[in-house]
Amino acid sequence: MTRHSSTMPAMHAPKHKRPNLLGGLARSREATLFAVLIALVAATAAVKPEFLNLQNLRDVLLNVSIIGLLTAGMTVVMLMRHIDLSVASVVGVSAYAVGSLFVMFPQMPVIVAMLAGIGIGLAIGAVNGVLITFGRVPSLVATLSTLYIVRGADYAWVHGGQINATSLPDAFALIATGSLFGVPNLVLIALVVLIALSVYLKQYRGGREHYAIGSNPEAARLAGIRVERRVMIGFLLSGAIAGLAGVLWLARFGTVDASTAKGIELQVVAAAVVGSVAITGGVGTVTGATLGALVLGVINIALVVLRVSPFWQQAIQGALIVAAITLDTLLARSVAKRMMRKRDHG
Amino acid sequence: MTDNKPPRLELRHASKSFGRVRALGDGSLQLWPGEVHALLGENGAGKSTLVKILAGVHQPDSGELLVEGIARRFANPAEARDAGLAVIYQEPTLFADLSIAENIYMGRQPRDGLRRIRYDAMNREVDALLSTLGVNLRAERLVRGLSIADQQVVEIAKALSLNANVLIMDEPTAALSLPEVERLFAIVRALRERDVAILFITHRLDEVFALTQRMTIMRDGVKVFDALTAEMTIDAIVSKMVGRDLDTFYPKADVARGEVRLSVRGLTREGVFKNVSFDVHAGEIVALAGLVGAGRSEVARAIFGIDPVDAGEVKIAGKPLALGKPATAVRAGLALVPEDRRAQGLALELSIARNASLTVLGRLVKHGLISAKSESTLAADWGKRLRLKASDLDAPVGTLSGGNQQKVVLGKWLATNPKVLIIDEPTRGIDVGAKAEVYRTLADLVREGMAVLMISSELPEVLGMADRVLVMHEGRISADIARADANEERVMSAALGASPQALGRAA
Amino acid sequence: AELKSGLKIAFVPKQINNPYEVIADDGGMAAIKEMKGQGKVVGPSDAGASSQVSYINTLITQKQDAVVIAANDANAVVPYLKKAMSQGIKVVTFDSDTAPEGRQIFVNQADSESIGRGQIQLLSKLVGGEGEFAILSATPNATNQNTWIKWMQEELKKPEYAKLKLVKIAYGNDDDQKSFVETQGLLQAYPNLKGIVAPTSVGIAAAARYIQSSPAKGKVAVTGLGTPNQMRAFVKNGTVKAFQLWDPGQLGYLAAFAAANLASGTITGKEGESFDAGKLGKRTVGKSGEVILGPPTTFDSANIDSFNF
Amino acid sequence: MAKPDSALSTTKRRHLQWEAMLVIVLAVSLIGGRVLSPMFLSGANLSNMLADFTEIALIALPMTLIIIAAEIDLSVASVLGASSALMGVLWHMGLPMPLVIAIVLVAGTLAGLLNGLVIVRFNLPSLAVTIGTLALFRGLAYVLLGDQAIADFPASYTAFGIETIAATFLPMPFILVILGAIVFTVLLQATPFGRSLYAIGANPVAAQFSGIDVARTKLRLFMLSGAMAALAGVVYTLRFTSARGDNGEGFELSVIAAVLFGGVSIFGGRGSMIGVLLSLLIIGVLRNALTLADVSSETLTIVTGALLLSSVLIPNLVARWRATREKRLMAQTL
Ligand SMILES: Nc1ncnc2c1ncn2[C@@H]1O[C@H](COP(=O)(O)OP(=O)(O)OP(=O)(O)O)[C@@H](O)[C@H]1O
Ligand SMILES: Nc1ncnc2c1ncn2[C@@H]1O[C@H](COP(=O)(O)OP(=O)(O)OP(=O)(O)O)[C@@H](O)[C@H]1O
Ligand SMILES: [Mg+2]
Ligand SMILES: [Mg+2]
């Protein structure tokens, strides 16, 4: 018997092509999220038509870009059943460090600033990676520790200091204010990174290994995957993205101090979870994660636009997160059930 | 097996220890092209450890590995794979969240000029491969939700797709029923024709004679014997494996049938099983036979309250049982030894004693608090009765060999002193010695008046142990055969149902 | 009366890394240096109600002579400050007060009423006396912001502000990003918005930064309380016409002198007592132990370059 | 066959080793504290030290159980805040204090029930669900109290938060911690409920197949967690005489850090209450001693992270070193 001779016709009876189940499932989850997003925008616009103006869309995209980037980085890590809580601290320290560089070297080219931010992120990502792979420290513990340590170091270094927009060169500010064909540069940068990451995860062997590791670490090892190396790469990616996000944060907000981005790690995890990235690993896409970040971002701004009392905003957001997770899971289950039933009768 | 050529694969005096546990003391093996080679030994003899050394999962503490006569050292499974070794491990090693095709091609997906994965080519090849295996599975289907048998098929497909010249299979048939085993054998024979060297581990000795040409027997981590299969008998093998002769294999005692202990009426779960009704009496072993995927385990799980049912009722010793809560079932006197011991039977990181006491926590309470002493006494008692091979009852149960793990699961349920014991694949993956002990234990239990429902895919065990054989086919009970009338043909034809096409479907 | 030398005076800011607080603390430290005392700044890195308490307790254990605190919560620290006072430690609050029984003196930047009313007066001038406006505050529980907002609402009751309408109080939590997004939301929710009052240095900067890059620049007036260094660029490019603040360094300086005088026994905190506050001259204790730094400065393009803090 | 009453097993030994190490660390930090500051061992200071971690300890007790069962509850600090706000609102409505406290505890339990129901019913990961309820409960706290802070609680109750037991230096609320510690230790180590948590944490499916009602156990755990967080909210409110919506913000990570430092495995199935109690003490002592030595709060943040990290890293590295050494020894004997 030869293996998979592609000339051999399929033996079994059912000739009709079944829909691509894997793709179908993934698509349907993202499709729902997309529908939710559209519904949110539509509902808000119905009450407040001016919600749909260009300026506001720009703002929403700008807001979501940074969280969206972080969420995508978190996705890579979460796919492997890990988590990176240190991202917020990395953003903070990278933003301040790059800002200080601008204070010292006002003529520094923008690309150097980006590389510096990415470099800082890579360094902290490497520490996380080493702790997790070599030190065998569970990622939640390791990154919770680095969250504290990096933020503490940031505090100790910055103390009461502050970088203001005035210290930043105009070329740098252009990242946030400039645009190409009406799309803000910052959004374009985020988009490029997101697409690259998405292609990596879907189209490349290395990307698929992240899924394999999260799905079954033991089996991944047996399949010859170098798990340690891949986990390391995941944390480097997440760190680098957080570093870049720090630079973008600086460009967008102009003012950074010791507590910049404090606490956004939970927002990022929430966005990923809303975006159908499983905390238990193996499931999720960058598209989903980005949609998750968009949904949360739109809710955020919609509540303000709809003049919901600030005291209610957080409660509503929390309730919506819980509802989103629940609905998403129920939907995934019903799809799985349908699939099973089909097989039973197929 | 030409004299001047080196063996395809040779392991010389390999040893391996895990902490203080010496899993392999002196493992040796020669594997020639074009042979199917049986590796035999009791549970814990070190077979899987040897396999993992060959596969590059473990590095031996000492010893030599030669491929085509050249000394090699595999630092990881990828290196072994690249050297032409394909391995089917004892426990399925699949990625539940990925498609079948990706499982098969992980790490070596076909790529285009930009090094991107070519999903279309990959899926096409896998579909072709699956259809040569005669299974109704599609390449793009997720592995999550596949039955154990289907998972095993995917493992086999994975190994075949490697086009390796050494194929190592660690108990590939443990989860398969007869037609699937036959199909696997046909594939293995075809590979042998193509000069592939095959190492085959099993605890079913009839398979050894049906398939293999040579064998290596291990005991306590040491190779004790090798021979041509044609020169051996079952008794000879068993005595080499166990180091002594075994008494009667199926110690079926004739016990007078008592009152009805378990009564199931009209049990239905949409799409899984339909209108299942039967009784099990005290002092009786009722076997539930059928093909893998017939829905037997699902019936057991439903009775025990793990899965919901759509209709039907269950009585334990005449009292109606409220379905849906395992705790209620246990209180009513029901015990279920599940089919997948690692996933369902044991908490692998917890100690043997802790696992054994899990079902009887409530009974260990003295003065409102759990007494650690009665816990370890309990574990020790049952360990002794089942001849558990463990160095330390406080060691994590995951460090035991498969068969010994099964004994812990059995012991933990016998400790509840149940009225009805449902036992799903009681001897899956355990050695002949342990099997004999399980059979003896079952015989003792029914003699003491227990009612036993035994789900089994092994026909000899069904015919040897059961007072009555119920056969399931596609979710319905298709036959109820008394011991006297039970034979292989009757059970198999009932299991296959009327239509012969059913043979083509594994799931 | 002479100040004792070698006095141990500890500053407890709301949050040790808050840039505004750091300027104030530095002012205090400078004062303590002048009087040859031993000063230090200790405090939490988050602004939770309770996080200052363990620092107060520690200061009691260390037997400091005086504690100068900007309270995160008007009540949470009171029992512990009382304990400090019962052990002879003098307590001065500055920037953000506690309940009066929790301290001997409160050094107020300016009296809260005039700050609150002043903000409305300034806004009214900037928007021409009519239109919708919103307040962008710090956290919902920030004591001083809440007091000022209360006085702003008082001032609004006057007939001359009948056309000025407060549409919303938003909270930026003294977080730059949150304040930024809140500003953005305000503009969406209230298309007719004419002004934003942010009585917090973080909020006003964030609001100005958002407005600067949006079409609303020039249409929506931003004012409030902020430091000149932070706001200079916005004043120069016309995003912000005018805003107010006192010198936080002087606030800390005055608080340090109040504490030193209490600890030296020259005053007890009773109304009418007066003390020498170094370069700030003589100051008098007002009603319920309040010492007032002075009216806030209004900064605009004309004067902003003469300030550096 | 094993000797049933054989001395200590390797796993048990490893546990004891960790606890023994914690004891040593505690002793060292106590001595270090005394060296750093002569006031360190004064009654007043010890009293402050113990009072400081009351709420964290109260929440850490049920959190230990939850993490052993391989779940997590990130919403605890928000439940604390919401309880504090509710307490203020009810008190302002004129209800008598005992009734207020009772209602708050019930409400906390209900918050836990909500967590538990969503997690158990839909079989969702608790990390995801409680990130959502973290925002939800904190939001409800703001809905309840808005920008108000309520401070006029009766002195007889606030005294409980502030004073010490009779002539000792033990703060009153510490009684609750001691009681809680005893109850939870017994609950975890010596009752079927506690024992089943280890099994649920190690393998929930096997636990279910063993007749353990996993769903109900988890539900109870989250209710317990909610109730204790509410209790912590009451204590917090009384200790600081201040009901506010933002009370206790960010406590969840401190609690989790303390539990993990105590040797509880984040993957569930492993850990002991003694370890967590020791860990709480060590963190309390260290923070106090360092603050007393005028070490800045940013350094404290770094120390917290380093402690947490070392708690897992050091044993791992030691185990690795041992394994290589053993291997080398074995190679020599061969
Ligand atoms: N990772 C491990 N850590 C500790 N001990 C182990 C480990 N793996 C195997 N062992 C021990 O090594 C011995 C041999 O195990 P192995 O799995 O090779 O047996 P086996 O012959 O495959 O048995 P079975 O037929 O039951 O599968 C057993 O005593 C087992 O408990
Ligand atoms: N983990 C699972 N998830 C979803 N469906 C499953 C799972 N396991 C089995 N099934 C489905 O349930 C049905 C019965 O499966 P199973 O193979 O367990 O039957 P069985 O008769 O108990 O066989 P055996 O006991 O020999 O394994 C099959 O259709 C199978 O595909
Ligand atoms: Mg094996
Ligand atoms: Mg089955």
Side-chain angles (χ1 to χ4, degrees):
Chain A
M1 193 202 71
T2 57
R3 344 138 281 142
H4 52 81
S5 54
S6 39
T7 48
M8 186 161 227
M11 263 181 4
H12 33 263
K15 211 61 243 181
H16 70 273
K17 175 119 176 90
R18 285 196 206 170
N20 175 344
L21 288 172
L22 172 67
L25 179 63
R27 257 202 307 278
S28 75
R29 290 181 111 177
E30 280 146 22
T32 344
L33 265 175
F34 193 69
V36 168
L37 184 64
I38 298 296
L40 269 173
V41 173
T44 315
V47 183
K48 284 256 146 198
E50 51 291 18
F51 182 72
L52 277 184
N53 76 27
L54 224 60
Q55 170 68 18
N56 192 42
L57 284 168
R58 254 178 60 102
D59 283 340
V60 169
L61 286 180
L62 280 170
N63 289 348
V64 172
S65 291
I66 293 175
I67 294 286
L69 270 182
L70 292 170
T71 310
M74 187 69 83
T75 302
V76 178
V77 169
M78 275 170 63
L79 281 177
M80 304 182 294
R81 274 190 211 176
H82 285 290
I83 198 162
D84 187 354
L85 293 179
S86 69
V87 285
S89 300
V90 177
V91 170
V93 94
S94 148
Y96 198 88
V98 172
S100 313
L101 280 178
F102 273 122
V103 172
M104 279 186 279
F105 312 104
Q107 298 313 317
M108 183 169 67
V110 171
I111 186 73
V112 176
M114 293 216 179
L115 290 179
I118 293 174
I120 291 169
L122 279 175
I124 300 171
V127 171
N128 284 332
V130 167
L131 287 174
I132 290 156
T133 55
F134 181 78
R136 309 243 173 98
V137 182
S139 57
L140 193 130
V141 179
T143 59
L144 184 56
S145 308
T146 45
L147 173 153
Y148 281 128
I149 293 172
V150 172
R151 182 65 72 184
D154 193 14
Y155 277 146
W157 170 43
V158 176
H159 201 62
Q162 198 175 43
I163 306 283
N164 289 321
T166 38
S167 327
L168 304 174
D170 292 340
F172 184 69
L174 221 58
I175 292 179
T177 52
S179 61
L180 193 68
F181 306 122
V183 186
N185 293 340
L186 196 154
V187 177
L188 287 176
I189 294 173
L191 219 54
V192 168
V193 176
L194 289 177
I195 290 173
L197 210 55
S198 180
V199 169
Y200 164 69
L201 283 181
K202 178 71 191 162
Q203 302 284 354
Y204 284 84
R205 284 185 185 172
R208 301 315 289 171
E209 289 184 4
H210 293 291
Y211 288 85
I213 291 168
S215 206
N216 186 343
E218 196 49 43
R221 206 158 266 129
L222 293 179
I225 294 174
R226 283 193 272 174
V227 176
E228 267 77 29
R229 204 178 71 143
R230 194 53 55 192
V231 171
M232 189 75 198
I233 290 175
F235 278 94
L236 285 174
L237 271 175
S238 167
I241 289 176
L244 175 66
V247 180
L248 298 182
W249 187 293
L250 177 68
R252 165 91 171 123
F253 296 111
T255 302
V256 294
D257 59 25
S259 50
T260 291
K262 198 176 174 190
I264 58 164
E265 64 276 346
L266 292 187
Q267 265 183 56
V268 171
V269 176
V273 167
V274 168
S276 305
V277 182
I279 233 152
T280 43
V283 179
T285 61
V286 168
T287 320
T290 310
L291 283 170
L294 265 171
V295 166
L296 289 191
V298 167
I299 288 175
N300 212 345
I301 197 81
L303 289 177
V304 181
V305 170
L306 293 175
R307 306 185 182 184
V308 172
S309 141
F311 301 121
W312 276 98
Q313 281 174 22
Q314 203 174 2
I316 293 175
Q317 258 187 50
L320 286 176
I321 293 175
V322 176
I325 303 166
T326 312
L327 276 179
D328 177 57
T329 312
L330 290 184
L331 180 90
R333 287 222 188 108
S334 81
V335 170
K337 212 181 237 166
R338 259 211 313 280
M339 221 163 76
M340 199 101 95
R341 204 155 285 158
K342 223 183 230 162
R343 209 167 53 99
D344 276 342
H345 304 300
Chain B
M1 279 166 260
T2 38
D3 298 8
N4 49 355
K5 271 177 113 183
R8 171 109 357 120
L9 188 72
E10 183 174 6
L11 188 69
R12 290 187 190 151
H13 309 297
S15 72
K16 177 75 188 171
S17 301
F18 298 101
R20 289 184 188 76
V21 182
R22 166 152 294 201
L24 197 60
D26 182 359
S28 295
L29 179 78
Q30 287 191 341
L31 203 56
W32 298 87
E35 71 163 350
V36 183
H37 190 120
L39 181 58
L40 304 173
E42 286 183 283
N43 292 128
K47 304 182 295 294
S48 298
T49 307
L50 188 147
V51 164
K52 287 181 178 164
I53 285 176
L54 296 180
V57 177
H58 295 322
Q59 277 65 53
D61 298 335
S62 66
E64 270 188 293
L65 175 63
L66 298 102
V67 181
E68 309 276 11
I70 301 161
R72 296 290 303 265
R73 230 186 141 78
F74 298 140
N76 58 51
E79 288 183 13
R81 184 183 69 199
D82 297 341
L85 270 74
V87 184
I88 298 174
Y89 296 96
Q90 186 169 5
E91 315 292 342
T93 54
L94 297 175
F95 308 114
D97 303 304
L98 298 181
S99 70
I100 291 176
E102 283 202 86
N103 265 281
I104 290 174
Y105 274 101
M106 180 52 67
R108 46 194 191 88
Q109 298 96 330
R111 295 187 292 192
D112 64 11
L114 292 168
R115 301 170 73 81
R116 289 181 313 186
I117 296 172
R118 292 174 52 208
Y119 281 96
D120 49 346
M122 185 168 82
N123 288 334
R124 221 175 319 116
E125 299 218 354
V126 169
D127 272 331
L129 180 60
L130 289 171
S131 63
T132 62
L133 286 174
V135 290
N136 186 18
L137 291 172
R138 293 199 61 94
E140 290 150 279
R141 192 191 187 296
L142 290 188
V143 162
R144 186 176 298 290
L146 288 186
S147 66
I148 294 189
D150 284 347
Q151 290 182 25
Q152 196 61 265
V153 170
V154 176
E155 289 284 0
I156 293 166
K158 183 161 68 178
L160 293 181
S161 80
L162 281 167
N163 201 16
N165 54 23
V166 178
L167 176 59
I168 299 170
M169 298 189 279
D170 196 349
E171 302 195 29
T173 54
L176 302 185
S177 54
L178 211 52
E180 289 137 349
V181 170
E182 284 303 336
R183 205 157 45 221
L184 176 65
F185 281 12
I187 294 165
V188 169
R189 289 188 188 111
L191 290 174
R192 188 168 77 87
E193 311 265 277
R194 292 182 24 224
D195 255 7
V196 174
I198 297 150
L199 184 65
F200 186 85
I201 299 178
T202 184
H203 287 295
R204 298 180 182 170
L205 295 185
D206 49 337
E207 294 178 354
V208 173
F209 292 98
L211 190 66
T212 72
Q213 286 75 53
R214 284 198 320 133
M215 66 176 67
T216 295
I217 299 179
M218 298 180 63
R219 193 162 69 222
D220 293 333
V222 176
K223 182 200 119 174
V224 289
F225 189 72
D226 59 8
L228 291 174
T229 308
E231 294 167 0
M232 298 294 291
T233 62
I234 290 206
D235 288 343
I237 295 175
V238 168
S239 75
K240 291 283 180 204
M241 270 167 63
V242 187
R244 62 189 153 88
D245 290 323
L246 281 182
D247 32 4
T248 20
F249 210 65
Y250 296 115
K252 177 73 193 79
D254 274 321
V255 185
R257 208 160 103 153
E259 86 279 8
V260 174
R261 280 282 177 80
L262 171 67
S263 157
V264 178
R265 288 290 170 272
L267 208 61
T268 299
R269 181 162 186 228
E270 238 41 271
V272 184
F273 53 82
K274 206 164 193 138
N275 202 13
V276 171
S277 305
F278 61 87
D279 289 330
V280 183
H281 295 254
E284 182 183 44
I285 298 181
V286 173
L288 191 52
L291 299 185
V292 170
R296 297 161 299 165
S297 303
E298 278 66 21
V299 169
R301 290 159 53 123
I303 294 173
F304 193 65
I306 304 272
D307 295 339
V309 293
D310 296 315
E313 58 172 323
V314 174
K315 284 185 185 155
I316 305 283
K319 284 200 210 82
L321 175 69
L323 291 174
K325 280 222 181 291
T328 321
V330 175
R331 236 174 287 125
L334 195 62
L336 170 65
V337 175
E339 63 180 328
D340 184 344
R341 58 177 176 266
R342 291 169 70 89
Q344 303 164 341
L346 298 168
L348 293 172
E349 315 150 33
L350 297 192
S351 71
I352 299 167
R354 284 254 172 143
N355 269 286
S357 67
L358 222 49
T359 48
V360 287
L361 284 174
R363 281 185 229 172
L364 296 175
V365 171
K366 266 188 205 140
H367 318 299
L369 300 179
I370 286 187
S371 120
K373 189 147 181 210
S374 50
E375 181 177 47
S376 43
T377 319
L378 176 106
D381 285 352
W382 279 105
K384 223 170 280 165
R385 264 188 85 169
L386 296 173
R387 298 192 197 160
L388 184 71
K389 193 180 146 200
S391 57
D392 181 357
L393 288 179
D394 286 322
V397 82
T399 58
L400 291 182
S401 75
N404 283 307
Q405 290 179 7
Q406 183 74 11
K407 288 179 199 169
V408 176
V409 186
L410 193 54
K412 112 182 171 181
W413 280 111
L414 294 182
T416 65
N417 194 19
K419 295 197 182 78
V420 178
L421 176 68
I422 303 179
I423 183 165
D424 197 352
E425 305 291 359
T427 58
R428 175 172 287 174
I430 68 174
D431 66 45
V432 277
K435 252 182 206 170
E437 282 160 32
V438 169
Y439 296 145
R440 206 197 51 231
T441 313
L442 284 181
D444 289 350
L445 291 171
V446 284
R447 205 172 293 125
E448 289 162 20
M450 195 179 289
V452 177
L453 177 66
M454 178 178 85
I455 299 172
S456 172
S457 302
E458 281 198 56
L459 266 183
E461 145 179 319
V462 168
L463 297 175
M465 291 302 295
D467 293 291
R468 220 146 40 86
V469 184
L470 301 172
V471 188
M472 272 186 87
H473 170 67
E474 295 194 341
R476 293 164 194 270
I477 292 197
S478 59
D480 183 344
I481 309 168
R483 181 180 177 83
D485 307 329
N487 60 41
E488 204 160 312
E489 293 76 48
R490 281 198 65 170
V491 175
M492 276 322 289
S493 69
L496 292 172
S499 74
Q501 285 100 303
L503 249 172
R505 244 174 60 78
Chain C
E2 266 300 284
L3 289 182
K4 288 185 190 158
S5 70
L7 284 175
K8 291 193 286 181
I9 301 177
F11 269 59
V12 184
K14 285 179 163 184
Q15 221 182 325
I16 198 148
N17 297 297
N18 182 316
Y20 169 89
E21 302 270 331
V22 170
I23 303 173
D25 297 336
D26 288 347
M29 291 308 109
I32 294 169
K33 208 162 170 192
E34 262 175 44
M35 60 183 96
K36 299 194 174 47
Q38 300 172 30
K40 68 176 174 186
V41 184
V42 295
S45 44
D46 68 286
S50 66
S51 43
Q52 289 173 319
V53 168
S54 57
Y55 289 94
I56 299 172
N57 281 333
T58 306
L59 295 174
I60 299 174
T61 309
Q62 291 173 336
K63 299 194 172 27
Q64 298 284 323
D65 294 303
V67 171
V68 182
I69 180 171
N72 275 327
D73 181 279
N75 307 299
V77 288
V78 170
Y80 306 92
L81 292 177
K82 275 186 181 161
K83 192 163 77 182
M85 289 188 286
S86 74
Q87 301 195 11
I89 299 173
K90 306 300 174 197
V91 177
V92 172
T93 56
F94 75 121
D95 182 43
S96 178
D97 196 11
T98 63
E101 68 268 26
R103 43 80 179 166
Q104 277 130 333
I105 283 181
F106 169 43
V107 177
N108 202 347
Q109 35 274 76
D111 89 84
S112 305
E113 178 169 351
S114 62
I115 295 177
R117 292 186 188 276
Q119 296 269 293
I120 292 297
Q121 288 151 11
L122 183 59
L123 175 85
S124 175
K125 211 156 60 196
L126 292 174
V127 301
E130 64 179 299
E132 295 183 350
F133 77 102
I135 295 175
L136 177 65
S137 181
T139 63
N141 290 103
T143 324
N144 32 2
Q145 268 83 10
N146 285 346
T147 323
W148 297 328
I149 292 171
K150 198 184 78 199
W151 283 114
M152 289 187 212
Q153 285 164 328
E154 258 332 288
E155 177 76 5
L156 278 174
K157 288 181 187 150
K158 289 190 185 160
E160 63 253 48
Y161 304 115
K163 289 190 186 152
L164 215 49
K165 186 158 165 259
L166 173 59
V167 288
K168 168 105 163 187
I169 303 173
Y171 299 95
N173 288 352
D174 261 354
D175 174 283
D176 186 76
Q177 184 222 358
K178 177 99 164 69
S179 308
F180 193 89
V181 175
E182 284 295 326
T183 310
Q184 175 186 325
L186 284 174
L187 292 186
Q188 289 304 323
Y190 304 95
N192 299 323
L193 207 65
K194 284 281 172 302
I196 293 177
V197 181
T200 151
S201 56
V202 178
I204 189 173
R209 223 170 47 254
Y210 178 78
I211 300 283
Q212 175 192 358
S213 65
S214 85
K217 180 174 169 183
K219 293 188 203 124
V220 178
V222 177
T223 186
L225 304 172
T227 65
N229 283 354
Q230 225 181 334
M231 302 301 294
R232 198 176 321 274
F234 304 116
V235 172
K236 295 244 158 110
N237 69 25
T239 311
V240 175
K241 294 273 182 305
F243 64 97
Q244 299 180 313
L245 199 69
W246 43 89
D247 183 341
Q250 288 188 359
L251 185 65
Y253 185 90
L254 178 58
F257 268 96
N261 277 289
L262 282 172
S264 306
T266 54
I267 55 171
T268 60
K270 269 207 283 297
E271 188 173 352
E273 288 174 335
S274 63
F275 61 96
D276 188 32
K279 65 183 182 195
L280 291 178
K282 234 182 172 45
R283 296 293 169 136
T284 309
V285 181
K287 201 165 72 219
S288 67
E290 248 185 69
V291 177
I292 289 176
L293 177 65
T297 314
T298 301
F299 305 98
D300 54 27
S301 55
N303 70 358
I304 192 158
D305 280 334
S306 42
F307 297 92
N308 182 22
F309 61 86
Chain D
M1 194 55 241
K3 318 124 260 182
D5 283 334
S6 72
L8 288 168
S9 75
T10 43
T11 33
K12 264 191 199 158
R13 209 175 296 140
R14 201 162 302 143
H15 261 287
L16 284 187
Q17 266 175 7
W18 180 243
E19 280 147 21
M21 194 178 115
L22 287 180
V23 171
I24 294 170
V25 173
L26 180 60
V28 169
S29 18
L30 281 170
I31 294 167
R34 177 65 184 76
V35 172
L36 279 176
S37 163
M39 285 93 85
F40 175 70
L41 287 181
S42 70
N45 187 56
L46 291 179
S47 173
N48 295 336
M49 187 185 89
L50 293 178
D52 265 350
F53 71 85
T54 312
E55 293 86 12
I56 301 275
L58 287 177
I59 301 175
L61 296 173
M63 187 70 86
T64 306
L65 272 54
I66 287 187
I67 296 183
I68 285 177
E71 299 285 340
I72 202 158
D73 185 355
L74 292 177
S75 72
V76 282
S78 299
V79 174
L80 187 157
S83 306
S84 176
L86 182 64
M87 193 170 162
V89 169
L90 293 175
W91 173 243
H92 255 207
M93 280 165 56
L95 299 189
M97 208 54 186
L99 184 61
V100 168
I101 291 174
I103 295 177
V104 167
L105 293 182
V106 171
T109 315
L110 289 178
L113 180 69
L114 176 70
N115 279 333
L117 276 179
V118 176
I119 290 163
V120 166
R121 266 287 141 72
F122 304 118
N123 198 12
L124 295 174
S126 48
L127 183 67
V129 172
T130 55
I131 281 184
T133 51
L134 175 141
L136 175 61
F137 296 143
R138 182 62 70 190
L140 288 179
Y142 283 122
V143 170
L144 279 171
L145 260 190
D147 56 2
Q148 290 177 303
I150 289 170
D152 53 354
F153 295 103
S156 53
Y157 282 88
T158 53
F160 169 82
I162 293 152
E163 270 157 28
T164 56
I165 304 168
T168 68
F169 62 77
L170 292 176
M172 285 279 207
F174 202 66
I175 302 177
L176 293 175
V177 177
I178 293 174
L179 275 180
I182 294 170
V183 169
F184 274 87
T185 307
V186 171
L187 188 66
L188 176 63
Q189 316 286 4
T191 66
F193 174 80
R195 279 308 195 69
S196 64
L197 298 180
Y198 287 94
I200 291 174
N203 184 348
V205 177
Q208 197 198 8
F209 269 90
S210 303
I212 292 169
D213 195 335
V214 177
R216 192 162 57 173
T217 308
K218 283 188 186 167
L219 206 59
R220 286 182 182 168
L221 273 182
F222 281 96
M223 288 167 71
L224 208 53
S225 173
M228 290 301 284
L231 180 64
V234 170
V235 172
Y236 188 104
T237 311
L238 295 180
R239 228 153 64 76
F240 301 112
T241 336
S242 181
R244 277 174 41 161
D246 66 346
N247 277 350
E249 218 157 34
F251 274 18
E252 62 278 345
L253 292 187
S254 311
V255 170
I256 290 166
V259 172
L260 296 180
F261 180 52
V264 176
S265 161
I266 189 69
F267 299 127
R270 254 182 310 140
S272 74
M273 198 52 100
I274 307 297
V276 173
L277 294 172
L278 283 169
S279 135
L280 285 165
L281 274 173
I282 292 171
I283 294 174
V285 166
L286 274 181
R287 290 195 76 96
N288 179 280
L290 293 179
T291 312
L292 210 52
D294 283 337
V295 170
S296 70
S297 58
E298 49 256 356
T299 314
L300 282 181
T301 314
I302 299 178
V303 168
T304 309
L307 265 186
L308 177 58
L309 192 58
S310 58
S311 75
V312 183
L313 191 59
I314 290 175
N316 280 359
L317 293 181
V318 168
R320 181 174 275 215
W321 173 73
R322 268 215 193 114
T324 42
R325 196 187 51 169
E326 224 156 67
K327 201 147 264 178
R328 208 173 304 133
L329 281 180
M330 212 173 275
Q332 280 167 2
T333 53
L334 278 176

